[in-house]
C-alpha cells in the first residue's frame, strides 16, 4: 500500500518539480514566478501546454525546443525527476501524514536552493527564510517540542561561527539553510551537517590537488552538500546517529 501511494505521489511531484525549475530560473533574476508563462530561453517562443508536460515532453522532444531546435538544459528534467523521487520517498517513509507533507516541502526547497546555488552561488532569502518558518510551524503542529527551534538555532549558530572563521568558504545563505535543516531534523541535524561537510571535502580536495594553493581562492557552492546531508538525515538520520553513538559505547 505504501509503495503504491509513493508511486502515485511522484505524479504531483513531477508537477512540483516543473514549477521549481521556474522558481530556480526567475527568483535570482527578481522576476515573477507567475507571469509570463514558460518560454524557450533561446527563441523566447511561449511553450504550449502539450510541450510542457514534466519529463515526458523532454523525452518526446528529445531535449530540444520544438520551434528553434535549441537544446533544453538537462537541469530541467533532472530537477523534475529528483523532486518527484524525493516526494515519493517522503510518502513511502512517512505514509500519508503531516510528517510526509513537511518532509515533501523540505525536500522541494532543498532541490530548488541547490539548483540556484550551483548556478548563481546564492541562497535567496526569499525562499530559505519563509521555508524555515513554514517547516518549523508544521513541525510544532505535528509534535510540539523545543527540539525543533533549538536545533534550528544550534545549527545556524554553528555555521555562523564557521562562516566568521572562514568567510571565503561559507556564506550567510548557508547559515540560513542550516536554520531550515535544524527546524526539520531536530537532533539529527548533526548528521546533516556532518554528511554535508564530508561530501564537500571531496571537490575541495580535488581542487587542491589540481590547482594547489590557488584552490583556496576557488569557492564551491555549499548548499547542495548541505541539502544532501539534509536528505540523508531525513531518511536515515536516527539510524546513523544511533550507530555513531554506539561506537563510543
Amino acid at each position: 500500500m505504501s509503495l503504491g501511494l509513493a508511486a502515485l505521489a511522484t505524479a504531483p511531484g513531477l508537477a512540483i518539480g516543473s514549477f521549481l525549475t521556474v522558481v530556480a530560473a526567475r527568483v535570482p533574476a527578481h522576476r515573477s514566478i507567475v507571469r509570463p508563462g514558460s518560454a524557450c530561453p533561446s527563441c523566447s517562443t511561449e511553450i504550449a501546454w502539450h510541450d510542457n508536460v514534466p519529463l515526458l515532453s523532454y523525452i518526446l522532444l528529445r531535449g530540444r525546443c520544438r520551434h528553434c531546435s535549441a537544446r533544453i538544459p538537462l537541469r530541467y528534467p533532472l530537477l523534475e525527476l529528483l523532486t518527484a523521487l524525493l516526494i515519493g520517498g517522503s510518502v513511502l517513509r512517512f505514509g500519508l501524514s503531516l510528517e510526509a507533507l513537511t518532509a515533501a516541502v523540505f525536500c522541494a526547497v532543498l532541490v530548488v536552493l541547490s539548483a540556484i546555488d550551483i548556478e548563481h552561488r546564492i541562497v535567496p532569502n526569499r525562499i530559505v527564510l519563509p521555508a524555515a518558518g513554514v517547516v518549523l510551524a508544521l513541525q510544532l503542529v505535528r509534535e510540539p517540542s523545543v527540539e525543533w527551534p533549538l536545533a534550528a538555532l544550534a545549527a545556524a549558530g554553528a555555521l555562523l561561527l564557521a562562516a566568521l572563521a572562514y568567510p571565503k568558504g561559507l556564506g550567510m545563505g548557508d547559515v540560513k539553510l542550516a536554520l531550515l535543516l535544524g527546524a526539520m531534523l531536530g537532533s539529527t541535524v548533526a548528521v546533516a551537517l556532518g554528511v554535508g561537510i564530508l561530501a564537500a571535502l571531496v571537490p575541495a580536495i580535488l581542487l587542491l590537488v589540481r590547482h594547489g594553493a590557488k584552490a583556496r581562492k576557488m569557492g564551491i557552492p555549499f548548499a547542495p552538500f548541505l541539502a544532501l546531508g539534509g536528505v540523508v538525515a531525513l531518511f536515515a538520520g536516527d539510524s546513523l546517529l544511533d550507530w555513531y553513538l554506539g561506537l563510543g559505547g
Side-chain angles (χ1 to χ4, degrees):
M1 177 63 74
S2 295
L3 186 59
L5 289 173
L8 288 175
T10 59
L14 285 171
I16 293 170
S18 181
F19 173 69
L20 294 182
T21 64
V22 175
V23 175
R26 297 188 182 186
V27 167
H30 301 283
R31 296 168 55 202
S32 169
I33 60 175
V34 179
R35 294 179 180 176
S38 299
C40 172
S42 297
C43 67
S44 299
T45 302
E46 186 173 348
I47 300 174
W49 69 266
H50 52 80
D51 285 339
N52 207 21
V53 179
L55 201 58
L56 181 61
S57 292
Y58 184 88
I59 296 172
L60 293 177
L61 292 171
R62 298 182 180 180
R64 293 186 179 276
C65 172
R66 180 183 296 275
H67 301 278
C68 69
S69 297
R71 185 168 294 280
I72 301 170
L74 187 59
R75 68 176 179 272
Y76 291 110
L78 287 180
L79 284 181
E80 293 169 352
L81 181 59
L82 181 58
T83 304
L85 290 176
L86 287 174
I87 290 178
S90 297
V91 174
L92 182 62
R93 175 70 173 81
F94 304 110
L96 284 180
S97 64
L98 181 57
E99 188 170 9
L101 173 63
T102 310
V105 171
F106 175 68
C107 288
V109 173
L110 292 184
V111 169
V112 73
L113 289 179
S114 297
I116 291 173
D117 196 33
I118 289 171
E119 186 168 0
H120 300 282
R121 302 297 176 89
I122 58 172
V123 178
N125 289 336
R126 294 169 61 189
I127 298 176
V128 67
L129 292 179
V134 169
V135 166
L136 179 59
L138 289 172
Q139 288 290 65
L140 289 172
V141 169
R142 183 184 69 83
E143 184 181 337
S145 171
V146 296
E147 177 184 357
W148 316 117
L150 286 181
L153 293 174
L159 281 201
L160 176 60
L161 292 176
L164 293 175
Y166 184 48
K168 292 184 178 180
L170 292 171
M172 290 306 297
D174 300 317
V175 175
K176 295 161 190 172
L177 178 53
L179 192 73
L180 170 63
L181 294 176
M184 178 68 213
L185 301 170
S187 59
T188 58
V189 70
V191 174
L193 296 181
V195 170
I197 291 170
L198 288 175
L201 284 176
V202 175
I205 291 173
L206 291 176
L207 283 176
L208 186 62
V209 170
R210 184 172 181 178
H211 300 284
K214 293 181 180 179
R216 296 181 180 180
K217 298 180 180 179
M218 299 177 183
I220 58 174
F222 192 41
F225 299 103
L226 286 178
L228 173 63
V231 170
V232 170
L234 177 66
F235 292 108
D238 289 328
S239 299
L240 290 173
L241 192 58
D242 290 342
W243 170 78
Y244 179 77
L245 294 175
L247 292 178

